[in-house]
Amino acid sequence: MSAFLDNVTTILLITPVTIRLANVMGTTPQQILIALVMFSNIGGTATPVGDPPNIIILNDKRVQKHAPEINFGTFTLHMAPGVILASITSYFVIRRLSQHIVKKTNPYENDKREIAVWKRTLGQMRTDTEDEQRVHTQLQEYVVSLEDELKQKMDSTAGRGSVINIAELEEKYPIRDRPLLVNSSIVLTFVILLFFLHSAIHLELSLAWIAIIGAIAHLTISGIRDIEEVLEKVEFGTLMFFAGLFVLMEALDELGLIDFVGEQTVSLISAVPAGQGRLAAAVVIIIWVSAIVSAFIDNIPYTAAMVPVVVMLGTDPELDIPLSPLIYSLAFGTCLGGNGTLIGASANVVAAGISEAQGYPISFNSFFRTGFPTMVTSVATITVYMLVFHVLIPWR
Amino acid sequence: MTLNLPESDPETGTWLLVELEAIAEGASVATVVDSKNFTLEAELTKQYYRFVADEESRGVTVETWQFRITTNSDSPIAFDWKEVALPDIVKYEVIFAALILTMVYVLIVFELVHRTLAAMLGAFLALAIVSKIHSRPSLETVVSWIDFETCGLLFGMMVSLFGLGGSRRDTTFSLASAILTAPYHLSSLYHSPTIHPSLFIIFLHLVLAFLFCRSWLAYFHRLGFLNGRPSRLLNGQREKFGSWLSSCASSLQS
């Protein structure tokens, strides 16, 4: 799905559902989410619209000028087999790594989380006026009573049955506000439809515009009076993180960090003797450097900085390297590298943010433990794929 | 065209940052040559062009810098010119950048502070170094570095999905189950066994099935996709869905 819809959008849509399903199934959702994000990142590599680096590469004027043979179709044709191979190998790695981690939640987990949520609400409350203080104290008492209840429960009850009955669930979670649900569904359907259309035909709307127009329409037709209540649920933590990260990366770019990596890559490739070996070396170096750098640095400025470098390498008559394999290598490296760490790709941060808000924090380390081995496996697969299909058998 | 720059400070003048921004759209290649005949090529688009005098010219006090800017453009082009003399520590700027990045990662990896705060601290430090070494970017410039494409998308979807969609505790699950059971509801409208009503839902199912089930073929079999017309699925779909969920749960736990 990520291949046709922007990664971040996909994750935004699927994460809440996944958490809820995992909840129903009585497992912790973190590991499932990590796997979901990773497949989303891998799937997004396949097409020019799936992942931001691909969008940058394909829209670059220099690439269009020097490699006119690369368009939506040929790009997908060259990327998709590699992506399929990489997802097969990553699937086994993720499975292997997840086996021990996905565990049944203990039956009291939900109650514990409820208490945690109450406590957080308590922390968020203002206590300026007397009224607010009164509510605050009452909440505090309620939290204490909940904790007592949980203790009693833990002493008395045993585990519950594992068969899930959907009718029972529907009774448990009734649709309380049917008009709102219908309205929401209509707006969301339109927004998602526009997202898909966006990748298929040229709209004069960017994804951000579509989302914001959707939000405004949603707010209008739902007839909600208390706007504060709605805005409180927007995760400003995640948004602030992105803002901070973008500024950090741009400032580091200003300090020349990314240019430095580019220069080192070029000098490394130029040092290899000419011939078939040089192309192979260039492909391997670009894939691995891109993957490792974009795991730790945001991959958007990196791609923006590397595109001119790669074009320069590919068009230099002295080096004599064809351009298109280098471009595919760059796209593979930057996209798959995003799986390496929690902050390597935007989709990872979004999933972590949503999950944390629902009471299941994903730590940097737990992501790294699954993400990094998976990233290494998928990148190794791609290296083999590129070497076989672009170096041994030149396929243009 | 030759530009003579004002005299540079003898102590700091060996490092020079030049920002050249073509105002005309439509790229044109310009060559910038200084008095020592260092030739640099830059493509003048709407981007800044950055030139730092290289190692050879260091230690030589240059009183005036000369730049020659040529273009292959037929029509006249306009550009912005800004030059800043840099302090000597500019040669360590990459090291500073690497140190800041390492610091941010240490903060995040060891969870010393929340990652939002870590990113903001890192951004603040990096801006401080940029201000010290180059010139201080205006607040407007710094804000323009934020990719509002990503942030706007997130904000809009968060308002729709969490703000309104999840405003009642129960609606999220109802929505989830509505999406998941939608193929059965929708399939009553269509009677074609080949064209499925919603491509999106198939994809969602594929992803979920791929993740949750030991074998997603078995999942499809269970739903009856492989052995009958979709419209037949309406009978007993609830039980099937429930048993699918519980089988997934048990396969995950085993």
Side-chain angles (χ1 to χ4, degrees):
Chain A
M1 184 161 132
S2 287
F4 302 99
L5 209 58
D6 187 72
N7 256 342
V8 175
T9 324
T10 318
I11 292 301
L12 264 173
L13 290 174
I14 297 187
T15 306
V17 181
T18 312
I19 292 176
R20 206 31 104 123
L21 276 178
N23 234 339
V24 170
M25 284 156 54
T27 54
T28 51
Q30 282 100 326
Q31 202 57 31
I32 299 169
L33 278 180
I34 291 175
L36 186 75
V37 175
M38 266 180 249
F39 279 113
S40 167
N41 283 337
I42 295 173
T45 314
T47 60
V49 292
D51 221 5
N54 291 354
I55 302 173
I56 295 175
I57 293 172
L58 266 280
N59 286 337
D60 194 272
K61 285 205 183 86
R62 285 158 290 200
V63 173
Q64 286 168 354
K65 188 174 146 202
H66 294 293
E69 73 275 12
I70 298 178
N71 55 33
F72 196 104
T74 50
F75 187 85
T76 314
L77 200 66
H78 281 83
M79 298 295 278
V83 167
I84 292 167
L85 282 177
S87 42
I88 292 168
T89 51
S90 322
Y91 173 69
F92 287 109
V93 175
I94 294 177
R95 260 211 87 88
R96 176 131 199 96
L97 290 170
S98 310
Q99 257 168 5
H100 315 287
I101 303 168
V102 176
K103 55 177 183 283
K104 203 179 170 183
T105 44
N106 82 49
Y108 313 111
E109 196 79 6
N110 276 332
D111 299 303
K112 274 187 187 161
R113 224 185 26 262
E114 190 182 340
I115 292 174
V117 170
W118 278 116
K119 276 187 178 162
R120 209 176 49 209
T121 320
L122 205 60
Q124 280 172 356
M125 272 188 66
R126 279 175 288 193
T127 50
D128 302 337
T129 64
E130 211 172 293
D131 288 344
E132 278 167 352
Q133 269 171 15
R134 213 172 301 140
V135 176
H136 193 266
T137 11
Q138 274 187 6
L139 254 181
Q140 221 158 13
E141 278 164 16
Y142 182 59
V143 170
V144 173
S145 73
L146 268 183
E147 274 174 340
D148 288 344
E149 224 171 83
L150 177 64
K151 237 179 241 160
Q152 279 177 3
K153 240 194 206 169
M154 279 173 128
D155 294 340
S156 60
T157 55
R160 55 186 174 170
S162 62
V163 177
I164 297 158
N165 189 337
I166 202 84
E168 200 179 283
L169 275 174
E170 282 190 0
E171 271 169 37
K172 214 164 132 192
Y173 303 103
I175 302 175
R176 280 219 195 121
D177 195 341
R178 202 166 269 277
L180 180 62
L181 181 70
V182 172
N183 285 341
S184 304
S185 310
I186 292 170
V187 174
L188 281 179
T189 315
F190 266 102
V191 169
I192 293 163
L193 204 67
L194 277 178
F195 281 150
F196 274 110
L197 279 179
H198 173 86
S199 60
I201 56 173
H202 184 73
L203 286 176
E204 288 293 324
L205 282 173
S206 66
L207 293 176
W209 271 119
I210 298 171
I212 290 173
I213 291 169
I216 293 171
H218 213 153
L219 284 171
T220 316
I221 67 168
S222 61
I224 282 214
R225 302 246 165 227
D226 193 357
I227 198 103
E228 294 288 327
E229 185 200 349
V230 175
L231 291 185
E232 249 168 42
K233 294 194 182 75
V234 175
E235 276 153 43
F236 284 100
T238 307
L239 290 177
M240 294 288 275
F241 175 72
F242 273 113
L245 199 66
F246 285 130
V247 173
L248 171 67
M249 291 308 165
E250 198 71 33
L252 293 183
D253 192 17
E254 198 88 338
L255 287 175
L257 183 68
I258 293 167
D259 290 340
F260 175 77
V261 175
E263 280 163 26
Q264 296 304 311
T265 314
V266 172
S267 62
L268 209 62
I269 292 171
S270 314
V272 179
Q276 196 78 318
R278 182 178 273 172
L279 175 61
V283 165
V284 173
I285 290 169
I286 290 179
I287 290 180
W288 282 93
V289 169
S290 307
I292 289 168
V293 170
S294 55
F296 292 98
I297 303 181
D298 191 21
N299 55 16
I300 294 169
Y302 175 76
T303 315
M306 276 304 274
V307 167
V309 173
V310 165
V311 171
M312 196 199 80
L313 276 174
T315 50
D316 193 339
E318 276 177 36
L319 287 175
D320 189 31
I321 307 175
L323 179 57
S324 50
L326 299 186
I327 289 178
Y328 298 133
S329 313
L330 180 67
F332 272 129
T334 47
C335 294
L336 297 179
N339 273 341
T341 65
L342 184 62
I343 59 179
S346 313
N348 308 356
V349 184
V350 175
I354 299 171
S355 178
E356 194 174 333
Q358 308 239 351
Y360 302 98
I362 297 178
S363 72
F364 184 90
N365 294 331
S366 68
F367 192 93
F368 189 79
R369 237 170 277 145
T370 320
F372 205 75
T374 313
M375 187 269 269
V376 171
T377 318
S378 60
V379 174
T381 316
I382 289 303
T383 315
V384 174
Y385 164 77
M386 285 299 290
L387 285 179
V388 170
F389 285 99
H390 283 96
V391 180
L392 287 180
I393 315 161
W395 172 32
R396 303 282 125 75
Chain B
M1 168 183 159
T2 307
L3 284 173
N4 280 321
L5 297 187
E7 262 185 47
S8 48
D9 183 351
E11 277 179 21
T12 60
T14 46
W15 295 86
L16 196 71
L17 175 80
V18 171
E19 280 175 358
L20 198 58
E21 187 188 11
I23 292 170
E25 191 88 58
S28 50
V29 177
T31 321
V32 182
V33 186
D34 79 349
S35 55
K36 288 199 162 57
N37 292 324
F38 299 123
T39 309
L40 290 149
E41 259 193 21
E43 208 155 306
L44 282 181
T45 50
K46 277 207 143 182
Q47 274 182 338
Y48 286 109
Y49 168 66
R50 194 157 163 255
F51 167 74
V52 179
D54 59 8
E55 202 67 33
E56 271 178 68
S57 65
R58 269 184 33 73
V60 185
T61 313
V62 187
E63 279 171 10
T64 49
W65 290 83
Q66 275 193 340
F67 288 85
R68 190 163 60 249
I69 298 160
T70 56
T71 176
N72 62 355
S73 162
D74 296 331
S75 50
I77 56 161
F79 60 85
D80 261 358
W81 174 277
K82 197 168 91 187
E83 78 286 336
V84 192
L86 302 177
D88 218 26
I89 50 167
V90 73
K91 57 181 168 175
Y92 302 119
E93 60 176 3
V94 173
I95 297 171
F96 282 127
L99 279 179
I100 293 169
L101 193 66
T102 318
M103 185 207 78
V104 171
Y105 267 89
V106 167
L107 288 181
I108 292 176
V109 170
F110 295 106
E111 289 172 2
L112 298 174
V113 294
H114 191 269
R115 56 174 179 274
T116 304
L117 185 58
M120 294 182 80
L121 274 176
F124 183 74
L125 256 183
L127 279 177
I129 302 274
V130 170
S131 309
K132 177 74 195 147
I133 295 181
H134 304 167
S135 59
R136 201 179 90 189
S138 66
L139 185 61
E140 210 172 279
T141 318
V142 175
V143 170
S144 76
W145 288 346
I146 300 171
D147 180 10
F148 281 100
E149 183 60 40
T150 307
C151 291
L153 172 70
L154 283 174
F155 179 78
M157 291 310 282
M158 279 170 176
V159 169
S160 299
L161 288 176
F162 312 140
L164 293 161
S167 60
R168 273 147 200 78
R169 208 174 85 116
D170 326 319
T171 39
T172 325
F173 182 75
S174 305
L175 208 62
S177 72
I179 290 172
L180 282 165
T181 50
Y184 326 112
H185 297 304
L186 286 173
S187 57
S188 61
L189 303 173
Y190 276 70
H191 291 284
S192 153
T194 47
I195 305 161
H196 202 268
S198 165
L199 200 66
F200 165 67
I201 286 153
I202 284 205
F203 270 110
L204 189 69
H205 272 260
L206 268 174
V207 171
L208 291 171
F210 191 60
L211 289 169
F212 290 149
C213 255
R214 179 152 287 169
S215 145
W216 56 267
L217 268 179
Y219 160 61
F220 270 73
H221 187 76
R222 204 182 283 275
L223 291 178
F225 273 70
L226 301 176
N227 56 1
R229 286 183 24 221
S231 51
R232 227 190 277 160
L233 292 172
L234 269 173
N235 307 324
Q237 39 108 344
R238 290 179 171 205
E239 289 75 10
K240 275 178 185 164
F241 182 58
S243 63
W244 169 66
L245 271 181
S246 42
S247 77
C248 292
S250 58
S251 79
L252 271 173
Q253 282 149 19
S254 62

